[in-house]
Amino acid sequence: MRWQLSWGDKYEKLVATVKNVHEKPFVKDAITLTTVQQIYAEAFLDLNNSRQVGMGISPIPFSELKAYIKLYKINDYEEFIWIITHLDNEYVKIQNEKSTKGK
């Protein structure tokens, strides 16, 4: 999650413009997701748009998790909730760190 938020959207451009690319942190720290991890990452990105807008970043509402589980007929809903909640906690933590540094 931290790598994606730090380098993900810049990765292709950086690789194209930097010499000795394999020595740079955006390449050394990059990860390759398994198929299952990609499924959870995509679900998280879908659910990320469900946040309530306000003064700060809020967690993904539980009602949105329930709706996603029902819509996509996810059988192991306990694991799904556990993984998405942990991803969300990390995301909120990172975003709050960014906003605190900006002040």
Side-chain angles (χ1 to χ4, degrees), residues 3-66:
W3 182 90
Q4 180 62 34
L5 292 173
S6 298
W7 302 107
D9 60 340
K10 304 169 196 88
Y11 183 77
E12 296 296 326
K13 186 175 182 179
L14 289 168
V15 168
T17 60
V18 175
K19 292 182 181 181
N20 300 323
V21 73
H22 297 290
E23 297 174 13
K24 303 299 180 188
F26 63 87
V27 173
K28 290 191 323 187
D29 298 341
I31 61 167
T32 302
L33 298 178
T34 65
T35 303
V36 173
Q37 290 170 330
Q38 287 176 354
I39 292 168
Y40 284 112
E42 289 174 18
F44 176 76
L45 291 175
D46 288 343
L47 287 161
N48 194 35
N49 295 324
S50 302
R51 295 179 192 283
Q52 296 175 352
V53 178
M55 294 293 287
I57 188 162
S58 61
I60 296 169
F62 188 74
S63 59
E64 294 297 323
L65 293 173
K66 283 177 48 178

Side-chain angles (χ1 to χ4, degrees), residues 62-102:
F62 188 74
S63 59
E64 294 297 323
L65 293 173
K66 283 177 48 178
Y68 193 94
I69 289 166
K70 185 176 181 180
L71 178 64
Y72 291 100
K73 298 176 176 67
I74 295 172
N75 293 325
D76 194 351
Y77 62 88
E78 290 175 341
E79 179 175 306
F80 180 83
I81 291 170
W82 188 87
I83 290 172
I84 298 299
T85 301
H86 279 76
L87 286 171
D88 192 38
N89 290 340
E90 184 67 11
Y91 180 82
V92 169
K93 180 179 171 185
I94 292 166
Q95 295 304 324
N96 286 334
E97 287 171 0
K98 283 182 181 179
S99 67
T100 303
K101 288 179 186 177

